[in-house]
Amino acid sequence: MLPRLPYRIQIPMGLVLAVILSVLLVSVVAAQISARSARLEIVSTVQRIVDLLVAQGKPLLAQDDTWRAFTLLRNTAALLPQTGKGQSRAALLDAQGRFLAGSDPLRLPTGEQALGVLINGRLLPTTSDAARPINLTTPDGGMTLVEPIRSDDNQVIGFVFAEVDAAVFAPDWAALSTPALIGAALAIIVLVPLGWLLGRRMARPIAQTADCIAQIGRTDPVQLQLLLPQLQDPELDRIAGAVRQLLIETSAAKANEKRALSAERLAAVGRITAAVAHEINNPLAGLITATRTLRLHGDAPDTRDRSLDLIERGLQQIRTMTTALLPQAKVEDRCLTPDDMQDILTLARATAVQHAVAISSELVQQFELCVPSTVFRQVMLNLLLNAIKAAGQAGQVHASLSADANKVNLVILNTGRHLSDDRLQRRLTTDDGNDPNGFGLWICHEFAVRYGGGFTAALAGDIPRPFTTRLSFWLPNLTHHDPQKTAVD
């Protein structure tokens, strides 16, 4: 319960509890000491009364004067503690250990044997054992004294018997506890206000430090540093120093975050710019070749129409592609057709001729190719151009396009250096924007992610010879039709 309270309450309550426990502990110890002192005082008083009876009872025993013995006991026994309540008594015994006279004749009857028998539940010593003073303590805390009375020639002529019940020695706990209760009440009255003020003073810097910690992330760290208290206490100053250091590091981290965000934005702009330039440059070689063909063979109607259609679709692809690269742009596009694959092959053959690379193709169409044409054309062109460059001089490249009810899949094979899926993923996740071959693969990966498709590389054992690298790109097929199969080489 106490640890859940604030420090300004814990401190005064802790002080009060500590004082109360201290007062109670001191009171218990003092009560024990008082009880022991009271017992010693009672024993000393009884011993003095016994000595008095020995001195004054000696002539009475010598004269066998019973009445004077009763008078002596009546006057002397009144000095014993709690005699009026019947808790103390005394008697004179003759030489045979019999009661000669007693302060309580009913319990100490004259003439009855005392020594060597049970008296009030106590076994008294025999006359021979009582030749020296005897002090007996009963199990319940009572006390019995037997002291011999000797004649002038040192002969035992009688005994003094004194008995005190245990109730006489019982301490008055109510009286002893009163000072403890008064001390505890005074401690509460004095220490609660004092502890309250002290607790507020001690808890104030802790509360200020806690408020500063709570505002981290919502308030300027420089302003929070000004709110931190300057403390003389070494422990609290160490806590405030740790918070101050945290604020300094937070301020530095925010500045670094702003610089990193600015650098990231610049890098993103640069990467998009490089990607757009890369994707525009890819179809340009084919378009330039088509322009040259048109200039050389433009008189032939078929050649002119084919070249103009190719140039128009290529330019339309560039426009649609640049729009598609923008993350929030909405692009309206038609579905892919087999003619799009022929266009891409035509655009790529100009580069293939420069590298003496042989290109083959295959189309396996069980369903219509209902995927965005601009996206798929751009992916085909990127992968074909990368495969031609990877195959090297006199290499081979094979393009396969297939469609089923679920997806449209493009597979590009080449005879260049093997590209594993691990290498492909590392290239896609690299932050290096200076690799010209990486832009095409990165854009293929981005299109696959954006349109819910996939882009992977096959294991070396799963690639048909003589090819060494197999890249697969697929997008979901958005429509279902009756199957039909067409093959184009």
Side-chain angles (χ1 to χ4, degrees):
M1 181 69 180
L2 188 59
R4 299 180 182 178
L5 298 175
Y7 277 109
R8 63 179 181 273
I9 298 177
Q10 288 190 42
I11 292 174
M13 289 187 65
L15 288 174
V16 170
L17 290 177
V19 171
I20 291 175
L21 291 177
S22 300
V23 170
L24 292 177
L25 180 62
V26 171
S27 300
V28 170
V29 174
Q32 294 291 335
I33 295 175
S34 298
R36 188 175 301 174
S37 300
R39 182 180 181 89
L40 292 176
E41 178 123 2
I42 292 173
V43 171
S44 177
T45 300
V46 173
Q47 185 63 53
R48 287 197 298 271
I49 294 173
V50 169
D51 293 340
L52 178 62
L53 290 175
V54 168
Q56 295 187 3
K58 178 178 178 181
L60 301 180
L61 288 173
Q63 299 173 10
D64 196 18
D65 192 344
T66 303
W67 293 109
R68 290 180 62 190
F70 272 113
T71 303
L72 172 65
L73 288 171
R74 184 175 65 250
N75 296 331
T76 306
L79 301 176
L80 291 173
Q82 305 293 336
T83 303
K85 297 181 179 179
Q87 295 176 352
S88 298
R89 54 211 148 265
L92 290 176
L93 310 181
D94 59 17
Q96 288 74 36
R98 294 172 299 191
F99 287 114
L100 176 65
S103 62
D104 187 352
L106 295 178
R107 300 179 65 178
L108 308 174
T110 301
E112 287 193 7
Q113 185 68 33
L115 298 181
V117 298
L118 287 172
I119 299 297
N120 296 327
R122 301 181 181 92
L123 178 62
L124 299 183
T126 62
T127 55
S128 59
D129 293 334
R132 54 184 179 81
I134 300 295
N135 188 339
L136 300 177
T137 300
T138 60
D140 61 353
M143 182 183 69
T144 299
L145 274 72
V146 178
E147 188 162 337
I149 301 175
R150 297 180 181 273
S151 62
D152 294 337
D153 56 357
N154 203 28
Q155 296 295 320
V156 177
I157 60 175
F159 302 89
V160 174
F161 170 84
E163 188 178 45
V164 181
D165 294 338
V168 175
F169 298 103
D172 188 357
W173 295 113
L176 294 175
S177 62
T178 300
L181 295 177
I182 295 175
L186 291 175
I188 293 175
I189 294 173
V190 174
L191 290 180
V192 166
L194 181 62
W196 185 270
L197 295 176
L198 182 61
R200 289 189 61 183
R201 181 179 177 183
M202 295 179 64
R204 186 181 299 113
I206 299 176
Q208 292 177 355
T209 304
D211 291 340
C212 290
I213 295 175
Q215 295 181 41
I216 292 178
R218 296 180 295 176
T219 307
D220 185 13
V222 177
Q223 296 180 359
L224 290 180
Q225 292 183 47
L226 299 177
L227 297 178
L228 281 173
Q230 300 293 332
L231 303 171
Q232 299 297 326
D233 182 80
E235 294 297 328
L236 295 179
D237 186 63
R238 190 170 70 174
I239 296 174
V243 176
R244 190 174 291 108
Q245 182 64 30
L246 175 63
L247 292 174
I248 293 173
E249 294 177 359
T250 302
S251 180
K254 281 194 172 184
N256 292 334
E257 183 180 354
K258 289 182 179 178
R259 287 194 294 268
L261 182 60
S262 178
E264 183 179 353
R265 287 174 178 172
L266 290 176
V269 171
R271 189 165 190 175
I272 290 295
T273 303
V276 171
H278 178 271
E279 296 308 298
I280 290 176
N281 286 330
N282 275 345
L284 284 182
L287 294 178
I288 292 173
T289 301
T291 304
R292 291 173 181 172
T293 301
L294 182 61
R295 182 172 296 172
L296 294 175
H297 306 286
D299 295 337
D302 292 341
T303 302
R304 183 176 63 250
D305 293 341
R306 252 193 335 268
S307 299
L308 289 174
D309 290 342
L310 178 61
I311 292 172
E312 182 181 4
R313 285 196 294 269
L315 293 175
Q316 182 65 30
Q317 176 185 346
I318 291 174
R319 186 179 70 176
T320 309
M321 179 272 304
T322 54
T323 305
L325 286 175
L326 301 177
Q328 296 179 348
K330 295 183 179 179
V331 180
E332 295 182 0
D333 200 3
R334 59 179 176 82
C335 289
L336 188 70
T337 65
D339 291 339
D340 290 313
M341 185 176 184
Q342 293 302 320
D343 284 348
I344 298 304
L345 292 173
T346 301
L347 293 174
R349 280 195 177 98
T351 304
V353 170
Q354 296 177 3
H355 294 82
V357 173
I359 299 179
S360 61
S361 63
E362 180 184 12
L363 174 63
V364 180
Q365 184 180 354
Q366 297 175 325
F367 286 83
E368 289 188 8
L369 307 172
C370 195
V371 290
S373 62
T374 300
V375 171
F376 226 92
R377 282 169 62 96
Q378 194 65 28
V379 170
M380 282 192 289
L381 183 58
N382 279 333
L383 295 184
L384 275 174
L385 292 178
N386 281 348
I388 291 170
K389 294 176 183 178
Q393 292 292 327
Q396 298 182 41
V397 173
H398 180 75
S400 176
L401 181 64
S402 62
D404 57 22
N406 297 317
K407 63 183 180 179
V408 177
N409 189 40
L410 172 68
V411 175
I412 303 294
L413 297 96
N414 69 75
T415 55
R417 180 186 174 188
H418 174 65
L419 178 63
S420 65
D421 193 62
D422 290 340
R423 286 182 56 203
L424 174 63
Q425 298 304 322
R426 286 197 298 270
R427 178 172 291 185
L428 293 176
T429 57
T430 182
D431 292 331
D432 185 7
N434 298 319
D435 182 7
N437 297 322
F439 285 125
L441 298 177
W442 174 74
I443 288 177
C444 294
H445 172 71
E446 291 298 311
F447 282 149
V449 172
R450 185 182 303 181
Y451 291 93
F455 181 43
T456 58
L459 297 174
D462 298 335
I463 302 173
R465 293 184 180 276
F467 301 104
T468 56
T469 297
R470 181 178 185 268
L471 296 178
S472 298
F473 176 88
W474 64 271
L475 292 181
N477 202 351
L478 304 180
T479 187
H480 301 273
H481 294 281
D482 293 334
Q484 58 181 0
K485 184 174 181 181
T486 304
V488 178
D489 292 332

